[in-house]
Amino acid sequence: MARSRRPSAAQRAAEKAEAQAAARRAVRICTWASLVTAVLGILLVAVPKLMPVGSPWVQLALGALTLILAFRARSIGMRGIEGFDGRLSLLGALAGFAIMFFAGQAAFAVLSSLG
């Protein structure tokens, strides 16, 4: 009969530390990417003359991307990091909601002016 080899406690601890390091890296990337897209979206909401053609649609896309990245960072952090704080990703999510709200108003105004 073949004996199954179970990993030792040190190997399990090393694997857990490696998984947490990978999760921290993914959270960091997603969080900062969401904050960058949030800044771009807020800049376009505040100064829509920067992009006169298609501005509401770009704003909506930036808002959606901000929300996706922020919530992705939060889900990775909650699953993979012990004691995850997540304040920056929450800030990104709130900015994404604000961008979607104001960009949605601008897109609705463009669509209603067509009809």
Side-chain angles (χ1 to χ4, degrees):
M1 276 180 97
R3 290 176 38 190
S4 65
R5 289 189 48 104
R6 297 178 71 182
S8 67
Q11 288 173 335
R12 285 192 303 265
E15 288 173 358
K16 185 176 181 180
E18 185 178 325
Q20 278 199 358
R24 285 184 196 282
R25 189 171 32 257
V27 165
R28 207 173 293 127
I29 290 169
C30 287
T31 299
W32 286 108
S34 75
L35 291 176
V36 167
T37 57
V39 167
L40 290 174
I42 290 171
L43 183 66
L44 280 178
V45 166
V47 187
K49 299 289 183 196
L50 290 175
M51 181 179 281
V53 178
S55 179
W57 314 115
V58 173
Q59 292 170 3
L60 282 172
L62 284 171
L65 186 60
T66 300
L67 284 173
I68 290 168
L69 289 169
F71 283 123
R72 181 69 182 151
R74 291 189 65 76
S75 74
I76 292 170
M78 288 179 171
R79 275 187 280 125
I81 301 173
E82 291 181 20
F84 175 67
D85 188 11
R87 292 179 195 168
L88 283 177
S89 59
L90 181 62
L91 177 67
L94 291 174
F97 282 122
I99 293 166
M100 293 292 284
F101 178 75
F102 290 111
Q105 286 181 339
F108 181 75
V110 168
L111 289 176
S112 64
S113 69
L114 295 176

